[in-house]
Amino acid sequence: MELKITKAEKLKSKPQDETKLGFGRLFTDHIFNMDYSPDKGWHNARIEPYCNIDMNPATMVLHYGQAVFEGMKAYRTPKGNIQLFRPQSNFHRMNASNRMLCIPQIDEHFALHALKELIRVEQEWVPSMPGTSLYIRPTIIATDVFLGVRASDTYRFFIILSPVGAYYPEGFNPVKIWVTKRYVRAVRGGIGEAKTPGNYAASLYAGEQAHKEGYTQVLWLDGVEQRYVEEVGSMNIFFCIDGELITPALNGSILPGVTRDSIISLARLWGIPCSERRIAIEEIINAQKEGKQVEIFGSGTAAVVSPVGTVKYRDDVITINDNQVGPMTQRFYEALTDIQYGRAEDPRGWIEKV
C-alpha cells in the first residue's frame, strides 16, 4: 500500500525542559491516518499534519464503544539513535483485540512501516533525557453514522505520538495497593483480554475508591470466585516467593502484556523458576505472614516495572520487603530499560531500529 506523506507547514515549538514533559499532554506535529470500507478494505494511508477528527454525534464508536488501541514507546539511545521495543508484538496484539471487537484485521508489517515513517518525520520530538521517551498510541475506532447495535462497516486507524517524561521522576519507589472484592474489572468470556477502552472505563470507579483510602492502585481479583489475583490497576502483576516468580495465567480476562511476556522470557533465560498459574490472594498474605521472602511488582509499557510495598486485603495490611524495592524487581527493571534504551545487548531480538 502506498503511504502518502504531507508535511505540516507550521511546526509547534518543541519542549525546552524535558524534566517537565509529564505524560500524555503534549502531541507532535503529525498523525498517521488510514481508513477502512467494505469495498476498498484498508486504504488511503497517510501521514499528515496533526488534526482533530470531525465526527457526527451519531458516530458508532461514541455509542457502542467499538474501539481498540495500543501503547508502546520509541527510545533514544546514548548514541542518539531511535529504537522501538517489540512493536511487532503490539500490532499482533492489536489484531487479537480487533478479532474480539469485530474490527477488520490490519496488515501488521505495513503498520510497522507506517509507524517508522511517522517517527522519522517526528524524530526531533524524541526526547533524550534519561528515562524520557516518545509514547506511541495506535487506535482504531468505528466510524459508521448509525444508532443501532452492530459492528460498524467503516473504521479509522490512527497513530499519534507524545513525548513523555520519566515515569519515576522522584525515584523508583514501592506503591500501595488495595484489594477489592466488591468491584470487578473483567470476567472470562468477556473482553478483558482485549485492549479496548471499555476495560479501562470499568476500572475507574474502584480506582477512585482506592485513592480515597490512600492507595495508589487496585488489585483486581477474578470475577467468579473473587479469590484469584488477576491484574493491578492497568498492569499485569508478578509475585516472587522464595525465589520463584509467579504471575497469573492468561485465562481470557487478563490482558497479555508485552512487558509481562518479556519478563517471563528473561526469567527463563536467567534460569529463574517461573510459573504462570492461578494464585489466590490468601497465598500471598500467608506467604508474607510466614516470613517467606516476598516481592510484588506490576508490569506495563508506561512504568515497565512498578514495585509494590503495601497490600491491604480486608483487615490485613501487609508490608512487602520492608517497603523497599526487592532485588528481583530491581533486576527486571534495570534489564528491560537497559535493553530499551540501548545500554545493553538485546538477547531476544526485541529491538527494532527506526
Side-chain angles (χ1 to χ4, degrees):
M1 190 189 309
E2 179 185 358
L3 177 62
K4 182 180 179 181
I5 300 177
T6 303
K7 299 282 188 72
E9 293 183 1
K10 185 177 181 180
L11 301 180
K12 303 172 186 176
S13 298
K14 305 293 188 300
Q16 298 301 308
D17 186 352
E18 293 185 353
T19 66
K20 298 180 179 179
L21 288 175
F23 192 96
R25 296 184 180 276
L26 300 173
F27 299 95
T28 66
D29 294 295
H30 298 85
I31 182 174
F32 167 77
N33 276 314
M34 183 166 65
D35 300 303
Y36 180 89
S37 63
D39 57 328
K40 295 181 180 179
W42 287 109
H43 65 282
N44 194 20
R46 62 214 184 265
I47 293 171
E48 57 191 351
Y50 192 97
C51 57
N52 293 335
I53 298 176
D54 185 19
M55 301 178 74
N56 186 295
T59 301
M60 288 183 71
V61 67
L62 301 177
H63 301 271
Y64 308 111
Q66 194 188 8
V68 300
F69 66 94
E70 274 298 324
M72 57 184 111
K73 290 178 178 179
Y75 307 88
R76 194 174 291 279
T77 71
K79 294 182 179 180
N81 300 319
I82 301 171
Q83 60 187 33
L84 300 163
F85 181 76
R86 302 190 66 179
Q88 303 96 327
S89 297
N90 286 96
F91 286 125
H92 184 70
R93 185 174 66 179
M94 184 172 228
N95 265 338
S97 298
N98 286 340
R99 283 189 289 273
M100 298 198 71
L101 273 294
C102 299
I103 295 173
Q105 299 285 284
I106 60 171
D107 182 327
E108 297 170 21
H109 296 289
F110 180 77
L112 179 57
H113 164 68
L115 172 59
K116 285 184 175 181
E117 289 300 315
L118 178 61
I119 294 173
R120 290 186 184 111
V121 169
E122 304 285 54
Q123 58 186 293
E124 293 183 7
W125 282 93
V126 183
S128 57
M129 185 176 174
T132 62
S133 57
L134 185 70
Y135 187 76
I136 301 162
R137 174 52 61 87
T139 307
I140 302 177
I141 60 172
T143 55
D144 275 10
V145 177
F146 175 67
L147 295 183
V149 182
R150 63 161 172 80
S152 179
D153 290 324
T154 61
Y155 299 87
R156 168 69 61 86
F157 176 24
F158 62 89
I159 304 176
I160 55 177
L161 308 175
S162 174
V164 297
Y167 194 84
Y168 299 108
E170 298 173 358
F172 183 52
N173 300 313
V175 299
K176 300 168 64 178
I177 60 176
W178 181 68
V179 185
T180 178
K181 287 179 71 74
R182 182 175 182 181
Y183 307 105
V184 173
R185 187 193 67 87
V187 294
R188 295 189 297 278
I191 54 172
E193 60 183 345
K195 199 166 179 69
T196 183
N199 284 333
Y200 295 80
S203 73
L204 297 177
Y205 186 74
E208 289 296 315
Q209 300 307 304
H211 295 160
K212 290 178 181 178
E213 295 285 336
Y215 290 82
T216 307
Q217 297 281 7
V218 174
L219 182 64
W220 300 102
L221 303 179
D222 74 281
V224 179
E225 298 179 60
Q226 293 197 318
R227 180 186 178 195
Y228 296 97
V229 174
E230 294 211 330
E231 294 187 10
V232 58
S234 58
M235 296 182 289
N236 295 118
I237 190 162
F238 286 85
F239 305 93
C240 182
I241 301 176
D242 282 348
E244 179 189 12
L245 190 67
I246 306 165
T247 193
L250 301 177
N251 62 359
S253 60
I254 296 173
L255 186 73
V258 175
T259 309
R260 172 189 182 277
D261 184 73
S262 303
I263 289 170
I264 293 170
S265 180
L266 286 178
R268 290 171 177 161
L269 178 67
W270 296 339
I272 296 172
C274 183
S275 299
E276 297 178 72
R277 63 173 175 83
R278 293 208 302 178
I279 181 166
I281 183 62
E282 291 87 359
E283 181 178 347
I284 308 304
I285 301 297
N286 291 338
Q288 178 66 24
K289 289 181 176 180
E290 292 166 5
K292 295 181 180 179
Q293 183 63 40
V294 177
E295 294 180 43
I296 305 176
F297 60 88
S299 70
T301 297
V304 184
V305 167
S306 181
V308 172
T310 303
V311 177
K312 183 181 189 305
Y313 175 61
R314 291 180 169 173
D315 295 328
D316 287 312
V317 179
I318 62 171
T319 300
I320 306 300
N321 199 53
D322 295 325
N323 203 36
Q324 301 296 314
V325 178
M328 189 85 78
T329 305
Q330 187 76 41
R331 184 180 183 187
F332 282 115
Y333 176 73
E334 291 179 353
L336 284 170
T337 53
D338 283 349
I339 293 169
Q340 290 167 342
Y341 285 95
R343 297 188 295 261
E345 291 297 317
D346 171 16
R348 291 293 199 219
W350 288 332
I351 293 301
E352 188 81 35
K353 305 289 186 183
V354 175

